[in-house]
Amino acid sequence: MIPIRLNMHNFLAYRAPQPVLLEDVRLACLIGANGAGKSSLLDAVTWALWGKARTRRDNDLIYMGASDMYVELDFLHEGQKYRVVRQRQKRGASGSGKLYLYVYDGDALNEMSEASANATQARINGLLRLDYDTFINSAFLKQGSADLFTTQQPARRKQILSNILGLEAWAQYEDNAKKLRDENGNQVKALDIRIADYDKELATEPAIQRDLAEAQAAHDTAKNLLGIAEQQLAELKDAPALLDAAKNKHADRAHRLTMQEKSLDAIHATLERNEQQLAEYQSVLDMRTEIEQGYEALQAARSARDDLSDKLSQLQPIDAQISDRQSEIRAERTRLETERDGLQNEIAALEQQIAGVSEDEIDRVTAQLDELKAKEAERDTAQERLNTWKNEFAGLKGTNDALKLGMNELKERIDDLEQVEGASCPLCGQPLDETHRVELLAELNAEGKTRGDTYRANAARMDEIDAEQKALAVSLKTLKDAVAELPRLRERAGELQAKRKAAADAQRTLKDRQQRLDEVTRTLTEEDYAQPIREQLVMLQAEKDALGYDGDAYKAHSAAMQQYSEYENMQASLRVAEQTVPGLLERREEAQRREAELHEMIAELNTELTDIDGEIARLTVQVEEFDRREQEERRLSTEERNKWEAVNNAQQALRALESLRDRKARDIDRRKHYSEQRGIYEELVKAFGKNGVPAMIIETAIPELQTITNDLLMRMTDGRMTVKFDTQREKVSGGTTETLDITIADELGTRGYEMYSGGEAFRINFAIRVALSKLLARRAGAHLETLFIDEGFGTQDAEGRSRLIEAINAIKDDFDLILVITHIDDLKDAFPVHINVRKTPDGSVVDVR
């Protein structure tokens, strides 16, 4: 994974800086004042990839005063370019986040995100084949945690090394092998139970053979009895059909009789209606004269009213237009009144807005804000001074710890030399003569005095720094308490400036609104609106008067039409009577003839029904006998089928036993296969366990890790120090235990890592951590191409820093990108690229040069 572009928004000290471009950078140092945000750049990388940044919660990473943030990281991995975007939204004490993953196709981005942020994170981990914990324990030397690997318990060190070597996969292999071993074992147990069940069922075969012989004899007897019953039933097989035919014939004749009787009733009803209609039509014919006179009066009234209706139809559109014009005049007045009321309300609001601005408060808040900005700058300067003292104090303490240990050893050597007799060389162990003893004792005393002077000078300076730190801490707390009010004052100043601008805009608007209000008020008072519509209204009224419509005459003719309206229907009835009476007389004669025919047909049908009733009685007796014989035949047929089913069941049981023998043979073969597989997976469980292949891999990797570490450490110490990793330790109770102990050999002998501190401890940590990074970079299937080094040079003297720079240059070809964070200006010239972080009022910014 090689970062090539980093874009941040509201992340820690960064508000909206330009993207950091690293595409052509191989080796660079991150420089800038303390607190400017150097380490935050590396936090942005780890937060984007894994959602973690040192020990902070996500909401604490958001720029002060902001409610959201995001980090956008473009990186190369195995020759392919990707982009990951992580966002965070603050909501009260909690918050929510989103995560997106993209792959570049040329200049286009194709999304690879999963349905949830957790699933997308799993995809990123799978893509990099690296999680956060393994990354910070190898490829990221975090500020203050260069010893993160070496200070772990031996068992934890071994676990971290296992993760770097990808040995967690072997644990999964072991789990899979155990699962398959147990599955095959369960199959063997299940097949043992099934084979035992087969044996129980096969033991029933002799009894089934006896049941088959008995069932076949019973079936033969039932089959003979069924044949006799079927012959007797065939003798009466036609009786049910003949009875059904006779019943159908009887039903047909009864239906025809019913229809003829209904027809006779209909003829009687027709004759009755015919007589009623003749009587009604004759009464209408008797009123002929009265009907004709009333109809003539109706026609005269209708003609006169129709003339007036024509004029009314011409009048209605004119009335509609008059009503429309009156509505338009009212609507225009309503619109003007509404505009007048709105202008009055707007003018009142504008006057209130202008009156609400306080220039005194604006001046007071501006003065307070300027004062606090000055204190903020003073606080930042004090914080930088405090950080510088802390680093100096740490360097002095590390130097004094090393001096103290060296002076103790020097004192032992002096004590040995002060013995006049038996003194020996502390280096070669050979006896010393008096001259050499005195000379060596003088040299050691001089060296002891030099170290003691340095130790006391350092201690005095440490006391000075401690006193200065305490005094400055008090002042810094006072400044921080004062500056805490700054965000609220900035927000209030913004509100007041916005009100002042709004009031100025309102003053300009007020004059325009007042002028328009005066115009609208005059128009309403003088009714000087809708003049063209008013002129149209006068013309429409004149046109209405010219029509001469008489409403009273229209009402009189309408009343006459109402009076004679019944004669219109009576006139129609008279015409119908004249046309209908001749036809009614002819239909009466036809109905009387049909009535005589129906009486004759009903008599014939009654005679035929009597004969059919006798035939049905005879056939009913035969059908009853047929039903009895049929019931007996069904009983015998059922008994025959039951006997046959018993035969068939016994035969099927014997065939099932044959199939059972085949299944038993197949299951015996399967049991053998599963038993063999269980043995194979049992061996694999042992091979995949921590004492199997993973232990062999670690034993193979330790020499490589040790070689790389010692190569770097010897460069940084001029060959004085070497490291050894021990993977086993003897128990007090006997035997050995798995471990990962670290021992260091130098000119004073071999000691555990815990005996070192200060600059020497950092050089050891640095060498081991870089070795872990290189080991991870060469791990099969993983490609770690970036190394981050965050501080650590403050504990080194000039020579130690020079050695570290040489070591970094020695490994730069093993990584595509190495970023080193430092605040020591003397180290800048040792790096070809400088990434400068500067703090501004609008957040930190980054320059790459």
Side-chain angles (χ1 to χ4, degrees):
M1 186 279 298
I2 309 171
I4 58 175
R5 179 181 176 273
L6 179 64
N7 187 24
M8 299 168 289
H9 176 75
N10 288 338
F11 184 82
L12 289 175
Y14 299 93
R15 187 169 188 176
Q18 292 295 318
V20 182
L21 304 179
L22 303 171
E23 191 163 8
D24 297 323
V25 177
R26 292 292 305 277
L27 175 62
C29 67
L30 273 164
I31 57 176
N34 287 333
K38 299 187 298 297
S39 298
S40 298
L41 284 179
L42 304 188
D43 283 333
V45 173
T46 61
W47 189 76
L49 290 173
W50 294 289
K52 296 181 180 180
R54 285 182 278 186
T55 59
R56 301 191 183 194
R57 298 175 302 171
D58 282 353
N59 282 358
D60 295 337
L61 300 174
I62 300 177
Y63 188 88
M64 186 177 65
S67 61
D68 67 305
M69 69 172 175
Y70 69 81
V71 175
E72 180 181 277
L73 175 66
D74 288 0
F75 63 92
L76 288 174
H77 182 65
E78 298 179 349
Q80 179 63 55
K81 185 177 178 182
Y82 299 89
R83 171 174 292 179
V84 61
V85 180
R86 192 180 295 271
Q87 301 173 344
R88 181 73 180 177
Q89 181 76 34
K90 185 190 296 184
R91 292 188 178 91
S94 62
S96 61
K98 295 180 180 179
L99 178 62
Y100 304 96
L101 177 64
Y102 304 89
V103 61
Y104 276 88
D105 182 4
D107 293 332
L109 281 172
N110 296 326
E111 186 167 1
M112 300 173 60
S113 307
E114 300 291 345
S116 66
N118 288 338
T120 303
Q121 184 63 67
R123 183 159 192 176
I124 293 172
N125 290 350
L127 176 68
L128 299 177
R129 291 183 284 279
L130 192 67
D131 61 15
Y132 176 74
D133 289 336
T134 304
F135 181 77
I136 63 171
N137 277 285
S138 55
F140 187 4
L141 275 68
K142 293 174 56 180
Q143 185 175 20
S145 60
D147 58 352
L148 190 59
F149 177 80
T150 48
T151 56
Q152 300 285 346
Q153 293 295 323
R156 176 58 181 157
R157 290 183 199 140
K158 198 163 189 179
Q159 182 60 50
I160 293 171
L161 183 58
S162 296
N163 293 342
I164 292 173
L165 294 172
L167 299 186
E168 65 275 5
W170 291 95
Q172 184 62 47
Y173 299 157
E174 181 184 14
D175 291 341
N176 292 342
K178 287 180 179 178
K179 181 178 179 182
L180 292 170
R181 178 199 62 191
D182 295 342
E183 288 177 356
N184 282 277
N186 292 335
Q187 290 288 350
V188 170
K189 293 177 183 178
L191 287 170
D192 286 340
I193 295 172
R194 193 181 304 172
I195 291 170
D197 292 340
Y198 292 159
D199 292 337
K200 290 179 182 179
E201 292 187 39
L202 290 171
T204 64
E205 185 174 15
I208 296 174
Q209 292 285 5
R210 291 193 297 272
D211 293 342
L212 176 60
E214 294 173 0
Q216 286 176 336
H219 175 258
D220 293 340
T221 300
K223 187 175 182 181
N224 292 333
L225 292 174
L226 177 60
I228 296 171
E230 288 174 344
Q231 291 177 358
Q232 293 175 348
L233 181 62
E235 296 173 355
L236 295 175
K237 65 178 181 179
D238 296 332
L242 294 173
L243 178 60
D244 290 340
K247 288 180 177 180
N248 289 336
K249 185 177 181 181
H250 185 279
D252 176 67
R253 300 304 183 270
H255 176 69
R256 290 167 62 184
L257 176 62
T258 300
M259 296 303 295
Q260 299 301 336
E261 289 174 344
K262 288 182 178 179
S263 297
L264 183 60
D265 292 339
I267 291 297
H268 290 160
T270 299
L271 288 171
E272 185 177 353
R273 287 194 303 273
N274 188 277
E275 292 300 327
Q276 289 177 352
Q277 288 177 347
L278 284 171
E280 291 173 358
Y281 285 134
Q282 188 59 47
S283 65
V284 173
L285 292 172
D286 293 342
M287 296 177 63
R288 182 190 302 274
T289 302
E290 179 184 351
I291 291 171
E292 290 178 347
Q293 291 175 350
Y295 184 71
E296 290 177 359
L298 175 63
Q299 292 296 98
R302 179 176 290 161
S303 177
R305 195 196 67 169
D306 288 345
D307 291 340
L308 291 172
S309 293
D310 292 340
K311 293 182 179 181
L312 179 60
S313 63
Q314 297 176 42
L315 181 64
Q316 287 174 342
I318 296 174
D319 283 340
Q321 292 183 57
I322 290 173
S323 177
D324 290 343
R325 299 304 172 271
Q326 291 172 342
S327 296
E328 290 173 0
I329 293 172
R330 288 193 299 273
E332 179 62 15
R333 181 172 184 85
T334 300
R335 186 191 67 77
L336 290 170
E337 290 173 344
T338 301
E339 184 181 359
R340 178 196 61 195
D341 295 342
L343 288 168
Q344 290 173 344
N345 292 334
E346 187 177 358
I347 288 171
L350 290 170
E351 291 173 343
Q352 183 178 0
Q353 185 175 7
I354 294 169
V357 177
S358 173
E359 291 295 335
D360 292 339
E361 185 179 4
I362 291 174
D363 295 340
R364 177 176 56 79
V365 170
T366 301
Q368 291 176 349
L369 191 60
D370 292 339
E371 180 181 352
L372 287 182
K373 285 181 179 178
K375 289 186 178 181
E376 182 182 32
E378 187 179 349
R379 178 205 63 186
D380 293 343
T381 301
Q383 184 64 56
E384 289 180 4
R385 188 182 308 122
L386 184 61
N387 291 339
T388 300
W389 286 343
K390 285 181 178 179
N391 288 328
E392 184 181 356
F393 187 91
L396 292 170
K397 186 178 184 304
T399 300
N400 270 14
D401 289 343
L403 286 171
K404 185 176 181 180
L405 183 61
M407 286 190 295
N408 290 336
E409 295 173 351
L410 197 61
K411 184 177 183 304
E412 293 177 359
R413 293 165 65 184
I414 291 172
D415 291 342
D416 292 339
L417 290 172
E418 285 179 344
Q419 298 177 11
V420 176
E421 296 182 358
S424 60
C425 178
L427 298 177
C428 64
Q430 297 297 320
L432 292 173
D433 58 28
E434 181 60 21
T435 302
H436 288 136
R437 185 184 71 81
V438 172
E439 290 177 355
L440 184 58
L441 188 61
E443 291 176 2
L444 293 177
N445 282 322
E447 183 180 353
K449 183 178 184 307
T450 300
R451 292 189 180 187
D453 292 342
T454 302
Y455 182 90
R456 287 185 291 275
N458 288 346
R461 179 53 184 159
M462 289 169 61
D463 291 340
E464 292 176 4
I465 292 173
D466 185 58
E468 291 172 345
Q469 282 181 327
K470 289 179 180 178
L472 186 59
V474 174
S475 175
L476 186 60
K477 183 179 184 306
T478 303
L479 289 172
K480 287 181 177 178
D481 292 342
V483 171
E485 189 70 11
L486 190 57
R488 186 192 66 79
L489 280 176
R490 283 175 174 160
E491 182 178 358
R492 181 56 183 162
E495 292 174 355
L496 292 173
Q497 290 296 335
K499 282 186 176 182
R500 172 190 279 173
K501 183 179 182 304
D505 294 340
Q507 187 67 48
R508 291 189 292 272
T509 304
L510 178 62
K511 181 178 180 181
D512 296 338
R513 298 298 183 269
Q514 185 62 55
Q515 182 179 356
R516 178 56 183 165
L517 177 61
D518 295 341
E519 293 176 0
V520 171
T521 302
R522 181 194 59 75
T523 301
L524 286 171
T525 303
E526 298 176 0
E527 293 191 354
D528 185 15
Y529 54 86
Q531 293 302 328
I533 298 174
R534 293 176 185 272
E535 293 172 1
Q536 292 176 20
L537 187 62
V538 172
M539 294 174 63
L540 288 169
Q541 188 62 48
E543 186 177 355
K544 177 179 178 181
D545 295 340
L547 279 175
Y549 169 74
D550 188 348
D552 293 337
Y554 182 85
K555 292 178 181 178
H557 291 307
S558 297
M561 286 181 62
Q562 182 68 27
Q563 179 183 355
Y564 294 107
S565 61
E566 61 179 336
Y567 286 100
E568 188 162 22
N569 291 332
M570 294 174 67
Q571 175 70 12
S573 298
L574 178 61
R575 297 291 176 262
V576 170
E578 291 173 346
Q579 297 171 4
T580 305
V581 168
L584 288 174
L585 293 174
E586 292 178 0
R587 287 197 292 275
R588 182 172 63 180
E589 292 178 0
E590 176 63 24
Q592 291 171 346
R593 183 187 61 77
R594 177 63 178 160
E595 181 183 19
E597 292 176 354
L598 289 172
H599 279 298
E600 184 178 352
M601 294 172 65
I602 289 171
E604 292 176 356
L605 289 171
N606 281 326
T607 299
E608 190 173 358
L609 283 171
T610 300
D611 296 339
I612 294 172
D613 286 338
E615 179 69 10
I616 289 174
R618 182 181 64 80
L619 291 171
T620 300
V621 175
Q622 293 183 2
V623 169
E624 290 174 352
E625 177 62 18
F626 175 84
D627 291 341
R628 187 190 64 76
R629 294 180 182 181
E630 184 180 40
Q631 185 175 1
E632 178 66 11
E633 186 271 342
R634 289 177 180 171
R635 185 186 69 78
L636 291 172
S637 178
T638 301
E639 185 174 352
E640 187 272 339
R641 285 197 302 274
N642 291 338
K643 300 301 183 184
W644 168 246
E645 287 178 0
V647 173
N648 188 53
N649 289 340
Q651 291 173 341
Q652 287 182 351
L654 291 174
R655 288 193 295 271
L657 290 178
E658 290 300 321
S659 176
L660 203 63
R661 286 191 183 93
D662 295 338
R663 292 203 300 273
K664 177 182 176 181
R666 289 195 299 270
D667 283 350
I668 289 173
D669 292 339
R670 292 175 61 203
R671 185 191 183 284
K672 179 180 179 183
H673 168 75
Y674 286 126
S675 180
E676 292 172 351
Q677 290 294 310
R678 179 180 58 184
I680 292 171
Y681 287 120
E682 181 66 37
E683 292 299 321
L684 289 176
V685 168
K686 296 177 182 177
F688 294 157
K690 66 178 183 179
N691 294 325
V693 175
M696 295 170 59
I697 293 174
I698 290 178
E699 290 296 333
T700 303
I702 287 296
E704 181 183 1
L705 178 63
Q706 188 168 291
T707 299
I708 299 172
T709 302
N710 285 329
D711 180 59
L712 290 173
L713 190 58
M714 292 178 72
R715 294 185 208 176
M716 291 186 289
T717 63
D718 200 17
R720 290 190 309 104
M721 302 176 70
T722 58
V723 168
K724 182 181 179 183
F725 296 98
D726 293 320
T727 59
Q728 291 187 342
R729 180 192 305 160
E730 292 185 0
K731 297 181 179 178
V732 177
S733 58
T736 60
T737 183
E738 295 294 325
T739 185
L740 186 56
D741 290 328
I742 303 174
T743 57
I744 298 95
D746 58 12
E747 70 273 10
L748 299 179
T750 300
R751 293 173 287 169
Y753 165 78
E754 297 78 9
M755 300 299 296
Y756 289 86
S757 62
E760 290 182 331
F762 178 80
R763 286 193 286 272
I764 296 169
N765 294 330
F766 178 81
I768 293 175
R769 291 293 296 276
V770 172
L772 287 171
S773 301
K774 296 179 71 173
L775 186 63
L776 180 59
R778 287 201 294 272
R779 191 184 74 192
H783 296 276
L784 183 65
E785 299 147 315
T786 301
L787 179 64
F788 296 150
I789 303 172
D790 189 356
E791 289 292 1
F793 298 104
T795 61
Q796 304 298 304
D797 55 20
E799 183 181 357
R801 289 197 289 268
S802 176
R803 297 287 187 185
L804 282 173
I805 294 300
E806 290 178 6
I808 291 172
N809 280 299
I811 63 170
K812 66 181 181 181
D813 292 334
D814 295 329
F815 297 91
D816 286 281
L817 174 63
I818 298 178
L819 292 182
V820 179
I821 296 180
T822 182
H823 64 274
I824 301 175
D825 291 338
D826 295 345
L827 294 179
K828 291 190 298 183
D829 295 337
F831 295 92
V833 177
H834 297 168
I835 301 175
N836 187 27
V837 180
R838 294 182 294 105
K839 192 171 185 180
T840 73
D842 292 326
S844 296
V845 296
V846 181
D847 299 320
V848 180
R849 58 180 185 272

